[in-house]
Amino acid sequence: MLDVISRDLDFDDLFQFAGVCKNWREFHKTYWKKFLAFQEPLIIQKSSHDKKSFSFISIADRKVYHSKTINQFWHFAYTGCSSGYLILTRDTNSFLLLNPFTRRKKVINTSTFKVNCSYFAYHVLLAFGKGSEEFVFVASCKSSGSLYVYQSRNLGWVTYSTMESPSKVVDFVVLHHTIYVVTDKANIGVLDLNSTNKFFLELKSTPDVTSTSLLRMVSCDGQLLVIHIASQEILNVYKIDFSTMNYIKLETLGDIALFYNSGEHFYALSNPKRWDFESNSLYAINLSSTTCKVCLGDDNELPKYIKHDRFRVPPKENAYLLDWCFRHLHYEVDLSPVV
C-alpha cells in the first residue's frame, strides 16, 4: 500500500512522506534508496515565464515530477547536470549546485575570475573523491578551450590553459576514477588534479577530423567512447582500446543507447530496454521543441545523427526541454597525489 502511495507523490511530498510516522520513515529510506539507484534517465523541463517551474519527466513511467523547492531557482541560468546535481548560475561570480533528489546544495564562488561564469561555463562536470565528501568541479570555456577546475579540499580554482597548444579540449568524462579529456584534434588526455598538467595518451591512430567535426566523449559500461559527427547526418562512434592504444570504430552501439541534449553533449546508458529505451539508438532533445526525437540503428549500422536546431531558441510559450538527468550517476575520482 505504501509503495502505491509513494509512486503518486512529487518530490516535495516524498520528503514529507517520511515525517508521518516511524514505519513510514523506515519505508521511505528503502524506497528512496531504490529511487536514486534507478538508471532510467529523466528529462529536465523548464517552463516559460508564465509558470516559472522545473519538472522532471519519466518516459518509462509516463510521469512528471514537480518540486516547489526547485522552482525558487527558476530565474537562475542552467549550465548542466552532473552527479545528480543541477548546475546553475545566479550572478556573475558563483555557481549553485543543487541536488533535487537529496536537497543538498553547494555554492562555488568564482570572483577570482574576471569573467561572467555563465559565459565561460560551456560544459561542466561534478565528481567526488573516493569515499569522501570532497569534490571536484570542472567547467570549460568554449572560446579558449581552457578548463577551470575547483577543488573543495583547498577552496581554490586552477586553470588548465590550452593557449600554447594547437588543439583545445572539447569534452571530458570520468572513467575508472580518472577524468579523461578529448580535444578537437581527437587527442585523448588525462587531467592531473594535483597539478596544472594534462597527460595525453600515445594513441597509434586517430579519426580523420576537420574544422567542422564535432567530437564528444562518453563513458559507459567500463568503456571510453568517442562520438564523431562528421556531417549533419553521419554519426561515428569509436571505442578507445587501452590494450592496443587504438581507436576502434564501432559498427553498432550494441546494447547501448545515446542521449543527446541541446548543449551538443551526449550521455550513454547500457541495457536501455529495462527503461523502455531501445539499444543501438539515439534520443535527442533541444530547446526549440518539447518532443524527444528518436533514431534507431539496425543490426549492422549505427543510428544516424539527428540534426538539431543550432540556434536553440526556447519557445516563447509553454515549456522546453533542457537536458537529461541520470540520478544514479555519482562520479568519483582519485584525489591522491600521483606517485
Side-chain angles (χ1 to χ4, degrees), residues 136-150:
V136 174
F137 180 71
V138 185
S140 65
C141 177
K142 185 175 183 179
S143 59
S144 68
S146 296
L147 298 182
Y148 301 88
V149 180
Y150 175 89

Side-chain angles (χ1 to χ4, degrees), residues 324-335:
W324 299 93
C325 177
F326 292 79
R327 64 197 123 159
H328 73 288
L329 291 180
H330 182 82
Y331 299 119
E332 291 189 340
V333 293
D334 189 356
L335 296 178

Side-chain angles (χ1 to χ4, degrees), residues 79 89 95 116-124 137 139-142:
T79 302
T89 54
F95 285 103
N116 189 320
C117 61
S118 61
Y119 170 77
F120 77 72
Y122 171 64
H123 183 40
V124 291
F137 180 71
S140 65
C141 177
K142 185 175 183 179

Side-chain angles (χ1 to χ4, degrees), residues 23 145 187 327:
N23 289 339
N187 298 314
R327 64 197 123 159

Side-chain angles (χ1 to χ4, degrees), residues 14-55:
L14 282 170
F15 280 104
Q16 296 174 8
F17 178 95
V20 174
C21 64
K22 182 178 179 180
N23 289 339
W24 284 40
R25 183 161 53 253
E26 291 302 316
F27 173 83
H28 178 267
K29 289 180 180 179
T30 303
Y31 175 85
W32 200 245
K33 185 176 181 179
K34 292 180 180 179
F35 178 83
L36 293 178
F38 284 170
Q39 296 184 29
E40 172 211 1
L42 300 175
I43 297 178
I44 305 172
Q45 180 176 264
K46 188 176 183 180
S47 72
S48 295
H49 294 275
D50 53 349
K51 293 184 178 180
K52 296 184 179 181
S53 64
F54 282 102
S55 56

Side-chain angles (χ1 to χ4, degrees), residues 110-273:
T110 61
S111 58
T112 55
F113 297 114
K114 296 180 179 180
V115 62
N116 189 320
C117 61
S118 61
Y119 170 77
F120 77 72
Y122 171 64
H123 183 40
V124 291
L125 170 70
L126 174 66
F128 293 83
K130 290 192 298 183
S132 169
E133 289 297 317
E134 300 291 351
F135 65 90
V136 174
F137 180 71
V138 185
S140 65
C141 177
K142 185 175 183 179
S143 59
S144 68
S146 296
L147 298 182
Y148 301 88
V149 180
Y150 175 89
Q151 295 197 45
S152 62
R153 58 180 175 177
N154 53 27
L155 301 177
W157 287 89
V158 173
T159 301
Y160 293 73
S161 176
T162 58
M163 298 302 292
E164 299 178 358
S165 174
S167 61
K168 64 180 182 179
V169 173
V170 293
D171 205 0
F172 38 87
V173 298
V174 175
L175 176 68
H176 302 320
H177 309 302
T178 300
I179 299 178
Y180 288 91
V181 303
V182 61
T183 72
D184 55 353
K185 305 297 182 183
N187 298 314
I188 306 295
V190 175
L191 202 65
D192 183 358
L193 296 175
N194 295 284
S195 73
T196 57
N197 297 320
K198 296 184 294 294
F199 300 100
F200 287 95
L201 306 182
E202 296 183 2
L203 297 171
K204 297 178 181 178
S205 64
T206 57
D208 293 327
V209 297
T210 67
S211 59
T212 60
S213 297
L214 178 66
L215 287 171
R216 293 294 182 262
M217 189 161 53
V218 295
S219 61
C220 183
D221 205 21
Q223 302 180 88
L224 190 63
L225 304 179
V226 175
I227 301 165
H228 176 210
I229 300 172
S231 74
Q232 290 299 309
E233 293 185 353
I234 300 176
L235 177 75
N236 295 317
V237 180
Y238 300 83
K239 178 181 74 172
I240 302 300
D241 188 332
F242 288 96
S243 63
T244 62
M245 298 303 287
N246 270 317
Y247 269 85
I248 305 298
K249 189 174 183 179
L250 302 182
E251 297 299 325
T252 75
L253 294 173
D255 196 18
I256 292 177
L258 293 177
F259 298 83
Y260 169 82
N261 70 8
S262 57
E264 298 183 334
H265 290 285
F266 288 83
Y267 306 90
L269 179 66
S270 62
N271 193 11
K273 291 187 176 180

